Amino acid sequence: MIYFLLKYVHLIGAAVLLGTGAGIAFFMLRAHLTGDPVIVAAIARIVVLADFLFTATAVVAQPLTGIALAHEAGYSLTESWIVLSIVLYLVTGAFWLPVVWIQMQLRNLATASAAERKPLPSRYHRLFWAWFSFGFPAFGAVMGIFWLMVQRPSIW
């Protein structure tokens, strides 16, 4: 029973990471495309909150449930698909941490622009495109992890 509970929680965490990440990207992009600082500020506030409530919780839970699940299932943490999953998880984190900081900067810049009734500054646009570009390797790494978890291939 513990195995299935761990598997369920681990799967929910993976779905939260993928779903929240995709949702955040969608809403931030849609807000950005309006060019309206009021809309960007409002959406960015929600996105930052969602990242802290959902993504951060799943980021902590995933390694804990993953290690426990591997132990319960009798897998060694040195199996190639697990090692590669961990590497991809670290890659995802290396892109996600700056993205959270960038989202907070985007929120702050948009809030200031909205309060001053000015357009979004050039710094906002530079940060937005950095944020946007960081999403591709992070999303690709998460998709790779999903594939590895489903297939569990012997890589080496």
Side-chain angles (χ1 to χ4, degrees):
M1 183 66 176
I2 189 78
Y3 170 79
F4 292 108
L5 180 61
L6 286 167
K7 190 171 185 174
Y8 180 76
V9 172
H10 194 68
L11 182 59
I12 293 296
V16 166
L17 285 176
L18 183 62
T20 304
I24 283 171
F26 174 78
F27 287 111
M28 280 297 290
L29 178 60
R30 293 293 297 154
H32 170 79
L33 291 174
T34 70
D36 184 339
V38 173
I39 292 172
V40 173
I43 297 301
R45 276 192 297 277
I46 294 166
V47 160
V48 168
L49 179 61
D51 244 348
F52 280 103
L53 289 177
F54 302 112
T55 311
T57 302
V59 163
V60 171
Q62 284 307 99
L64 298 176
T65 58
I67 290 167
L69 187 57
H71 176 73
E72 277 295 313
Y75 290 117
S76 166
L77 295 179
T78 61
E79 291 197 35
S80 59
W81 65 274
I82 293 177
V83 171
L84 187 52
S85 295
I86 292 168
V87 168
L88 290 174
Y89 190 78
L90 294 172
V91 167
T92 302
F95 284 96
W96 177 70
L97 288 172
V99 158
V100 173
W101 178 84
I102 291 170
Q103 287 170 177
M104 292 187 293
Q105 298 306 304
L106 295 174
R107 176 200 60 200
N108 296 346
L109 290 166
T111 299
S113 291
E116 297 168 7
R117 298 181 191 265
K118 291 184 176 178
L120 296 164
S122 59
R123 181 166 186 259
Y124 165 88
H125 292 284
R126 283 191 309 275
L127 284 170
F128 177 83
W129 289 110
W131 174 86
F132 185 79
S133 65
F134 275 34
F136 289 98
F139 186 76
V142 170
M143 293 304 291
I145 294 168
F146 263 82
W147 182 82
L148 289 165
M149 293 293 129
V150 170
Q151 292 298 317
R152 296 184 296 248
S154 178
I155 300 166
W156 57 78

